[in-house]
């Protein structure tokens, strides 16, 4: 089944989960799309089965809090940043709720966390103005990049390079094999006046980079030349929250949450808004992602909603 405008417009909420008592601040699909993990400001980690549309289990992280959760390459382990005690990154076994390893080093809040698409390494960016490169097998940082501002980062789809967005105005590309030599290219963009960059994502074909913000704009740039391609607007963000923007797996569509509780969808090439999906979210939708393998969408406020296409085009 192909993702086309009419199919996107036909998406409806198929299942709503109301397990959380506070805002869901991060979600992540497993690589095979069969599972979804979420974390919330109520310190709960919830695991979902995407094929059955059921909740598998809930794990609490009351002591450290939890944010920026990501599956590792195994469905039974995850990494996350902390919201209490310290700024250590934690590696968790979901099966028995035990921490396998701690990654200390950051001295301020971690605001960017990304796992390599090809190996057991990950990147973290913090308000301490550093990016750190880690290996899941070692508690010691593999490399530190000192930056001159707030960092966000992302791996390219092949896991060979990573992009660092710095100070909401420049994107630096590093080769993972020689990142200590500094970036091999820097794209300078106009500095955001009224918001900060809060996330970067490469398209699956590696050709574009999507920039999320804590304002009401989303940027799309060319990954090779840094040329601005699109600015997506029209969704609300009057609370200054880091609203996630995401690609569809074919990189054709851009999805974003909104503080009005709806999901906004644009065509990535034309910048044209395809539709606004209303799933009756009672609060701001901070997280939206499309499943990498199945025709489903997940969006989250305090509730988690699973969306499926309906109608004649399906």
């Amino acid at each position: 089944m192909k993702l086309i405008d009419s199919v996107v417009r036909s998406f409806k909420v198929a299942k709503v989960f109301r397990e959380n008592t506070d805002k869901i601040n991060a979600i992540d699909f497993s690589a095979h799309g069969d599972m979804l993990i979420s974390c919330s400001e109520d310190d709960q980690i919830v695991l979902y089965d995407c094929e059955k549309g059921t909740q598998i289990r809930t794990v609490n992280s009351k002591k450290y809090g939890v944010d920026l959760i990501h599956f590792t390459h195994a469905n039974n382990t995850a990494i996350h940043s902390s919201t209490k005690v310290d700024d250590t990154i934690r590696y968790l076994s979901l099966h028995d709720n035990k921490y396998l390893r701690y990654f200390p080093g950051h001295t301020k809040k971690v605001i960017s966390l990304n796992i390599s698409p090809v190996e057991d390494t990950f990147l973290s960016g913090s308000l301490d103005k550093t990016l750190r490169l880690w290996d899941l097998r070692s508690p010691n940082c593999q490399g530190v990049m000192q930056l001159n501002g707030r960092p966000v980062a992302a791996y390219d789809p092949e896991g060979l390079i990573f992009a660092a967005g710095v100070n909401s105005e420049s994107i630096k590309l590093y080769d993972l094999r020689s990142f200590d030599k500094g970036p091999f290219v820097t794209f300078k963009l106009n500095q955001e006046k009224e918001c900060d960059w809060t996330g970067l994502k490469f398209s699956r074909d590696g050709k574009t980079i999507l920039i999320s913000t804590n304002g009401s704009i989303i940027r799309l740039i060319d990954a090779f030349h840094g040329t601005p391609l699109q600015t997506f607007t029209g969704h609300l963000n009057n609370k200054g929250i880091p609203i996630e923007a995401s690609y569809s797996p074919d990189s054709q569509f851009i999805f974003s949450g909104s503080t009005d509780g709806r999901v906004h969808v644009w065509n990535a090439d034309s910048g044209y808004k395809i539709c606004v999906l209303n799933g009756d979210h009672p609060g701001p939708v901070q997280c939206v992602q499309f499943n990498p393998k199945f025709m489903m969408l997940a969006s989250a406020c305090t509730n988690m909603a699973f969306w499926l296409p309906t109608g004649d085009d399906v």
Side-chain angles (χ1 to χ4, degrees):
M1 179 175 161
K2 202 164 168 355
L3 207 52
I4 52 173
D5 292 10
S6 55
V7 172
V8 173
R9 289 190 191 107
S10 80
F11 268 77
K12 297 276 185 294
V13 173
K15 193 80 185 269
V16 178
F17 301 90
R18 297 181 174 87
E19 269 63 44
N20 293 102
T21 57
D22 208 335
K23 183 174 67 180
I24 294 168
N25 50 26
I27 65 175
D28 188 41
F29 280 104
S30 61
H32 296 296
D34 54 335
M35 288 165 82
L36 178 75
I37 196 166
S38 74
C39 63
S40 163
E41 289 177 12
D42 61 13
D43 306 328
Q44 289 192 97
I45 297 165
V46 185
L47 206 55
Y48 302 90
D49 183 315
C50 297
E51 293 177 281
K52 294 181 183 153
T54 56
Q55 186 188 329
I56 301 171
R57 72 171 65 90
T58 300
V59 172
N60 286 307
S61 177
K62 296 288 184 206
K63 184 175 177 184
Y64 301 114
V66 56
D67 198 358
L68 302 177
I69 197 146
H70 283 277
F71 279 113
T72 63
H73 292 292
N75 276 7
N76 57 357
T77 56
I79 55 169
H80 68 79
S81 64
S82 313
T83 58
K84 304 174 191 174
V85 185
D86 58 23
D87 299 293
T88 295
I89 296 159
R90 295 180 159 83
Y91 180 22
L92 177 67
S93 165
L94 298 164
H95 162 66
D96 50 8
N97 195 13
K98 285 195 170 65
Y99 284 109
L100 304 173
R101 193 159 285 123
Y102 300 93
F103 303 96
H106 284 300
T107 56
K108 288 187 177 167
K109 181 180 166 71
V110 174
I111 54 170
S112 183
L113 195 59
N114 291 272
I115 227 135
S116 161
V118 293
E119 55 192 9
D120 286 333
T121 60
F122 66 93
L123 273 168
S124 61
S126 157
L127 291 177
D128 63 17
K129 298 182 180 176
T130 66
L131 266 183
R132 289 173 179 262
L133 193 60
W134 310 84
D135 189 306
L136 280 174
R137 294 162 295 194
S138 163
N140 304 318
C141 175
Q142 308 293 300
V144 184
M145 285 133 280
Q146 304 285 341
L147 303 164
N148 64 352
R150 171 195 179 101
V152 285
Y155 286 92
D156 82 312
E158 280 150 7
L160 299 173
I161 65 169
F162 65 87
V166 184
N167 218 26
S168 307
E169 64 177 346
S170 63
I171 290 185
K172 299 172 183 290
L173 299 185
Y174 294 83
D175 187 316
L176 268 157
R177 291 156 301 189
S178 56
F179 64 85
D180 48 339
K181 295 191 172 77
F184 62 85
V185 68
T186 298
F187 305 137
K188 197 91 170 107
L189 289 98
N190 292 331
Q191 185 164 27
E192 301 297 345
K193 296 280 189 291
E194 291 166 13
C195 58
D196 297 309
W197 292 353
T198 51
L200 295 185
K201 288 180 183 174
F202 276 88
S203 58
R204 198 178 265 192
D205 59 13
K207 290 178 180 172
T208 61
I209 297 172
L210 189 64
I211 305 171
S212 303
T213 72
N214 57 9
S216 51
I217 52 171
I218 301 160
R219 308 268 187 212
L220 187 72
I221 69 161
D222 183 286
F224 302 109
H225 308 290
T227 323
L229 299 174
Q230 300 293 349
T231 298
F232 305 107
T233 57
H235 60 299
L236 281 179
N237 188 358
N238 50 16
K239 294 188 168 24
I241 59 174
I243 288 181
E244 177 178 35
S246 296
Y247 291 97
S248 56
D250 59 9
S251 312
Q252 265 198 102
F253 299 99
I254 305 297
F255 297 84
S256 169
S258 181
T259 49
D260 66 4
R262 300 186 300 172
V263 175
H264 294 245
V265 192
W266 298 265
N267 180 294
D269 289 335
S270 67
Y272 179 72
K273 185 172 281 188
I274 301 295
C275 60
V276 180
L277 299 170
N278 192 353
D280 295 324
H281 275 292
V285 176
Q286 183 170 325
C287 307
V288 179
Q289 284 182 28
F290 206 98
N291 189 302
K293 298 285 191 229
F294 300 116
M295 190 65 86
M296 76 167 276
L297 184 70
S299 62
C301 59
T302 45
N303 299 341
M304 170 70 75
F306 284 7
W307 302 70
L308 296 171
T310 57
D312 303 335
D313 298 294
V314 180

